[in-house]
């Protein structure tokens, strides 16, 4: 291969696309507004507060996972002093930079629910509270309707306490916002000041940052997703959510990179070699590692066959959820594994874009699968599995509905709008990173 | 900074220079004190060609042989008498035997990680340590393989572990993870052996070409498979190496995951937890890297390999130990937290019992050695201090042995039925078998050091600046040496050209 890319153009015509990206952003904002308004209207018409709240949690978790994936990618590159990735690091940093505002669409509704739930209300009337999503937030209700679960939840009431819960959420968002700011500001300021001091500083910070990241992501997953079924527990759950973040984040990163190139930027800077490596990241973390973690969690619970653990999976094997679970296995692992294993599929931007878009979609499916299913009432009354399955054979999934697609799509547009705004104001590549030369010259052999 | 000038790739990196310092944008050299491939060949081959070996080798070999003898006695006594000679009894039916098995399988993982995963991650520093880490893998798996074999009781029926067609239509229980273990570990051993051997071929040819005695010429020549170093040979070699790396990568995860299934599929509190597979894998890599450091520190000293296994290599390995130690710490915390969070009285009891029950001392040895002391590796001073890293790596070895002991014995000793609770006390046979396995490992490893190239000569050359096709020689005016008459490898062997960006920096 020739070494013409040693002389890649690092001028603004190739490393910035402010106007073009701003135009895209200008289209994304109205799309987000329309879709979210439609979702809100459909929710209001549906009148099911629990379903609405769950859908909102799915949609929010989706864009949160993308941002966390971007943050993880950025930090791991500094931690390992990677050379190859400099050319594609800015999209990841831009995705992660959304963590600076993502607390707003989560903390505001959460605080409102917390405040409403804490209000004194007359017996008999049911006010909205945290229990719209998390049953443990209303212990009285649990005691009346699910006495067995109540006994269990009482033992962990210290952890699943509304005040502590809200405080923890604030801590997670604070940590993420600080980390995203450190890495985004550090890298973009290097665009002007240059030098190696920034790189040295971020390398030093990356180790402790990743530890904070690992703990916050784990406990956020425990709090927001695992505690939806407050009696259920799995030590693997934090790691599972981490793989969701990797799938969503790396796929989004590849899509952003390819889109930027299609605008005419990054010529000779981002090459097929980088695309191939991004594809490898999606393949390794989003497809294979995800399957490994998912399989291990499922197999051990299935084999152990202890009712307090299996119920969670049983809820995902009832009625329409059975098909949905198979869709997840086939769509998140089997098909993309075969599709992406060849190096050419990762090196050609068209196939990589198709695979990335698909994997991004599948991470939304995965989050829906994690959050929405409910353990059917009267589970304990059933004597056989077949009887139970028969009773719930019509359990609806509701993923391919207008409300779901508008909600997830609207959130994604909102997120893409903010990401585009960020990219329209910055270089699309860390132009003065000391390892940029090494990155541009990098080849897979 | 004086060191930074020598990082430009223009001057020969001085022997003993501090290559742990790396200014962003300029990669520090991985091979020190030499300006050519010939020196590398000489440094590695000298160990096998030199008529005498250091006294320390004889001492270590003698001690290992004695321990191997102890293993022989203990195992024979066991076979002739029965497994009752071990301290096993109801309810602790697994103790030292399975602890040792898991410990040794775990040790092997560093070798596979270095040779396969670090290869796919393009970590060039792996070339300095991969050969003997892979050797370590093979010897560790051999040690591990002994234990399931002898703990079955009637050793002469150990072949029943394999699904061999027979007239009684008797088959192993395919639903048991113990059988999956047989497949996982034997696959692992096979792939590791093939991978190691493929990598050895060019270096065996180098030794053959340099050999003076007929026996050496014949022996090295036999195993070099007629290697001549032609472009076609190298091409085939590189393809095979990449494919084997890709095949070995899932094995790094699968083998110890299957080992963890041995415990986690059960319903025993302390064993049945979903994080076990990745937790066991992280622990295996952790203990394996600790063993590599334990072995590399004296080896580079004794055999004069400090310019090839540099402080940078050790520094990197210590970082891997820190990372995997933190992962293991994460898993311990998750187990404890979820045991409380689950609200299940049995889970809660098991973990409190581990920390404060009859095996509290084993638990706290485990936590101290695996989670607390490795945190010292946050400090570069510790990571680059030979005595500190040696001691810390020994701690990790001890800690990881105790981890398995704690998991296995503490969960079994205090299970669901308090009336049958008991304490496991090892007998002399238990202890002799455990120490004896170290003897077996030591004997194999020391023989390897003596008779085979301890460092992948061809691969190390490929990460030197000279291997880059655009390299134009050191400023001092060394001529560019071709690889052929200095052994196999070098420019033509460049699996990855060591690219040194010639530009001083970005605009």
């Amino acid at each position: 291969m020739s070494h013409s890319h040693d002389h890649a153009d690092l001028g603004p015509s190739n490393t910035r696309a402010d106007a073009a990206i701003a135009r895209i952003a200008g289209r994304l904002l109205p799309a987000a507004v329309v879709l979210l308004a439609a979702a809100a209207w459909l929710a209001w018409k549906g009148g099911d507060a629990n379903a609405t709240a769950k859908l909102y949690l799915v949609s929010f978790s989706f864009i949160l996972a993308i941002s966390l994936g971007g943050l993880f990618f950025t930090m791991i590159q500094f931690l390992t002093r990677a050379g190859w990735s400099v050319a594609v690091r800015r999209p990841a940093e831009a995705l992660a930079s959304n963590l600076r505002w993502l607390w707003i669409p989560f903390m505001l509704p959460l605080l409102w629910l917390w405040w409403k739930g804490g209000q004194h209300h007359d017996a008999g009337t049911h006010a909205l509270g945290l229990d719209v999503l998390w049953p443990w937030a209303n212990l009285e209700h649990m005691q009346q309707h699910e006495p067995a679960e109540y006994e269990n939840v009482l033992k962990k009431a210290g952890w699943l306490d509304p005040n502590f819960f809200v405080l923890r959420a604030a801590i997670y968002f604070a940590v993420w916002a600080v980390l995203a700011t450190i890495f985004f500001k550090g890298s973009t300021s290097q665009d002007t000041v240059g030098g190696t001091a920034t790189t040295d500083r971020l390398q030093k910070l990356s180790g402790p940052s990743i530890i904070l990241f690992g703990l916050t992501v784990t406990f956020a997953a425990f709090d927001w997703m695992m505690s939806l079924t407050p009696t259920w527990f799995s030590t693997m759950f934090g790691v599972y959510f981490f793989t969701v973040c990797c799938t969503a984040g790396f796929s989004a990163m590849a899509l952003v990179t390819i889109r930027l190139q299609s605008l005419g930027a990054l010529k000779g800077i981002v090459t097929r070699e980088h695309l191939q490596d991004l594809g490898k990241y999606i393949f390794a973390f989003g497809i294979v590692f995800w399957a490994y973690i998912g399989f291990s969690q499922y197999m051990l619970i299935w084999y152990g066959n202890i009712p307090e653990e299996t119920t969670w999976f049983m809820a995902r094997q009832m009625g329409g959820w059975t098909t949905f679970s198979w869709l997840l296995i086939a769509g998140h692992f089997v098909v993309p594994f075969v599709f992406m294993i060849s190096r050419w599929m990762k090196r050609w931007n068209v196939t990589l874009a198709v695979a990335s878009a698909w994997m991004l979609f599948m991470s939304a499916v995965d989050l829906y699968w994690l959050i929405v299913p409910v353990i059917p009432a009267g589970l304990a009354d059933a004597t056989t599995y077949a009887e139970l399955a028969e009773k719930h054979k019509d359990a609806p999934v509701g993923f391919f509905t207008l409300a779901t697609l508008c909600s997830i799509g609207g959130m994604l547009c909102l997120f893409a709008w903010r990401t585009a705004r960020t990219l329209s104001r910055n270089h699309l590549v860390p132009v003065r990173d000391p390892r940029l030369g090494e990155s541009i010259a990098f080849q897979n052999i | 900074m004086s060191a930074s000038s020598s990082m430009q790739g223009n001057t020969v990196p001085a022997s003993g220079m501090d290559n742990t310092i790396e200014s962003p944008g300029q990669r520090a050299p991985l091979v020190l004190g030499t300006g050519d491939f010939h020196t590398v060949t000489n440094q590695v081959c000298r160990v096998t060609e030199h008529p005498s070996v250091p006294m320390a080798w004889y001492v270590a070999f003698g001690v290992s042989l004695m321990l191997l003898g102890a293993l022989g006695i203990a195992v024979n006594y066991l076979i002739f008498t029965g497994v009752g000679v071990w301290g096993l009894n109801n309810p602790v039916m697994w103790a030292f035997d399975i602890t040792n098995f898991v410990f040794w399988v775990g040790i092997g993982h560093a070798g596979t990680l270095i040779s396969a995963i670090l290869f796919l991650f393009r970590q060039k520093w792996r070339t300095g340590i991969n050969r003997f880490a892979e050797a370590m893998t093979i010897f560790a798996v051999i040690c591990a393989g002994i234990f399931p074999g002898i703990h079955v009781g009637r050793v002469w029926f150990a072949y029943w572990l394999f699904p061999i067609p027979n007239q009684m239509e008797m088959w192993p229980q395919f639903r048991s993870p113990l059988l999956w273990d047989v497949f996982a570990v034997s696959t692992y051993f096979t792939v590791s052996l093939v991978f190691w051997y493929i990598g050895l071929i060019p270096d065996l040819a180098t030794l053959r070409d340099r050999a003076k005695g007929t026996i050496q010429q014949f022996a090295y020549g036999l195993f070099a498979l007629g290697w001549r170093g032609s472009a076609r040979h190298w091409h085939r070699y590189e393809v095979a190496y990449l494919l084997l790396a890709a095949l070995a990568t899932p094995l790094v995860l699968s083998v110890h995951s299957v080992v963890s299934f041995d415990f986690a599929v059960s319903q025993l509190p302390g064993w049945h937890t979903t994080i076990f597979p990745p937790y066991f894998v992280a622990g295996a890599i952790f203990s394996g890297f600790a063993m590599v450091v334990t072995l590399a520190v004296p080896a580079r000293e004794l055999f004069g390999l400090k310019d090839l296994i540099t402080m940078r290599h050790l520094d990197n390995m210590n970082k891997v130990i820190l990372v995997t130690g933190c992962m293991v710490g994460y898993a311990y915390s998750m187990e404890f937290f979820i045991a409380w969070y689950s609200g299940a009285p049995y889970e809660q009891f098991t973990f409190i019992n581990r920390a404060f029950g009859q095996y509290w001392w084993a638990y706290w040895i485990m936590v101290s050695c695996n989670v607390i002391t490795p945190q010292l590796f946050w400090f570069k001073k510790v990571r680059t201090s030979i005595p500190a890293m040696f001691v810390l790596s020994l701690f990790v070895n001890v800690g990881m042995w105790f981890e398995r002991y704690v998991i296995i014995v503490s969960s079994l000793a205090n299970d669901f039925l308090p009336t049958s609770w008991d304490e496991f006390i090892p007998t002399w046979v238990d202890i002799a078998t455990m120490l004896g396995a170290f003897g077996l490992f030591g004997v194999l490893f020391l023989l390897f050091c003596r008779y085979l190239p301890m460092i992948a000569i061809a691969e190390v050359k490929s990460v030197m600046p000279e291997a880059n096709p655009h390299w134009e020689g050191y400023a001092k005016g060394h001529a560019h040496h071709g690889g052929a008459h200095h052994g196999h490898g070098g420019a033509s062997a460049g699996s990855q050209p060591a690219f040194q960006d010639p530009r001083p920096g970005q605009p």
Side-chain angles (χ1 to χ4, degrees), chain B residues 270-293:
Chain B
W271 286 14
H272 179 74
T273 181
T274 48
I275 207 168
F276 253 35
Y279 152 42
F280 266 50
V281 172
I285 294 165
F286 179 56
S287 65
F289 265 89
M291 188 62 100
V292 177
V293 170

Side-chain angles (χ1 to χ4, degrees), chain A residues 19-92:
Chain A
I21 300 171
R23 266 199 304 283
I24 296 175
R27 288 197 293 272
L28 283 166
L29 179 60
V33 170
V34 169
L35 286 169
L36 289 175
W41 184 72
L42 288 165
W44 178 73
K45 233 181 84 189
D48 183 345
N50 173 260
T52 306
K54 280 203 164 177
L55 187 52
Y56 187 78
L57 183 62
V58 171
S59 314
F60 175 81
S61 305
F62 183 46
I63 59 174
L64 176 71
I66 299 175
S67 318
L68 290 172
L71 181 63
F72 175 70
F73 184 89
T74 309
M75 292 190 300
I76 201 82
Q77 303 313 318
F78 281 106
L79 186 68
T80 57
R81 304 177 182 177
W84 75 273
S85 59
V86 178
V88 290
R89 211 181 62 222
R90 186 53 50 83

Side-chain angles (χ1 to χ4, degrees), chain B residues 253-444:
Chain B
L253 292 171
S254 70
V255 179
H256 231 58
S257 295
V258 172
V259 170
S260 82
F261 291 163
D262 292 347
F263 308 101
V265 298
S266 74
Q267 295 178 339
L268 194 65
W271 286 14
H272 179 74
T273 181
T274 48
I275 207 168
F276 253 35
Y279 152 42
F280 266 50
V281 172
I285 294 165
F286 179 56
S287 65
F289 265 89
M291 188 62 100
V292 177
V293 170
T294 308
L295 297 173
V297 163
R300 71 197 275 274
E301 196 78 38
L302 277 179
F303 299 113
L305 298 169
K306 285 187 192 170
D307 289 339
L308 299 174
I309 305 171
T310 65
M311 193 52 88
R312 184 173 188 77
H313 294 82
L314 299 172
D315 184 28
N316 283 351
M317 286 194 277
N318 293 333
K319 285 179 184 170
V320 176
I321 292 176
L322 174 61
V323 169
T324 45
C326 289
M327 289 182 182
V328 169
Y330 172 90
Y332 295 165
S333 330
M334 284 310 122
E335 281 190 320
F336 237 100
F337 175 74
I338 294 291
W340 173 78
Y341 179 89
S342 72
Y346 310 106
E347 288 282 333
Q348 292 177 351
F349 166 78
T350 296
F351 281 91
I352 290 171
N353 185 48
R354 267 187 195 175
F356 306 108
Q358 59 181 342
Y359 291 106
W360 64 271
W361 49 274
Y363 182 83
W364 291 106
I365 290 175
M366 166 188 109
V367 170
S368 313
C369 294
N370 293 348
V371 184
I372 299 172
T373 53
Q375 302 305 322
L376 288 169
F377 280 141
W378 282 101
F379 304 103
K380 188 173 175 183
K381 268 213 159 62
V382 179
R383 288 200 306 271
T384 53
S385 151
I386 294 286
M389 74 173 85
F390 188 68
V391 171
L392 285 178
S393 73
L394 287 175
F395 278 180
V396 174
N397 287 321
V398 171
M400 284 308 291
W401 191 89
F402 272 98
E403 181 196 290
R404 280 65 174 251
Y405 184 78
V406 166
I407 292 172
I408 295 171
V409 176
S410 81
S411 282
L412 287 173
N414 305 101
D415 66 355
F416 297 103
L417 206 59
T419 49
S420 61
W421 285 1
D422 204 351
E423 188 175 11
F424 167 77
I425 296 162
T427 63
W428 69 267
V429 189
D430 278 309
I431 293 166
T433 319
M434 176 189 73
L435 295 176
F438 283 93
L440 174 62
F441 181 79
V443 166
L444 291 169

Side-chain angles (χ1 to χ4, degrees), chain B residues 67 78 92 113 121 225 316 422 429 485 492:
Chain B
L67 289 173
L78 173 96
V92 185
L113 183 97
F121 280 167
L225 300 180
N316 283 351
D422 204 351
V429 189
H485 58 286
S492 60

Side-chain angles (χ1 to χ4, degrees), chain A residues 218 234-235 277 292 303-304 309, chain B residues 122 175 257 267 273-274 330:
Chain A
T218 302
S234 167
T235 41
D277 269 16
Y292 167 66
Y303 203 119
E309 293 178 351
Chain B
R122 298 189 293 264
R175 283 174 289 189
S257 295
Q267 295 178 339
T273 181
T274 48
Y330 172 90

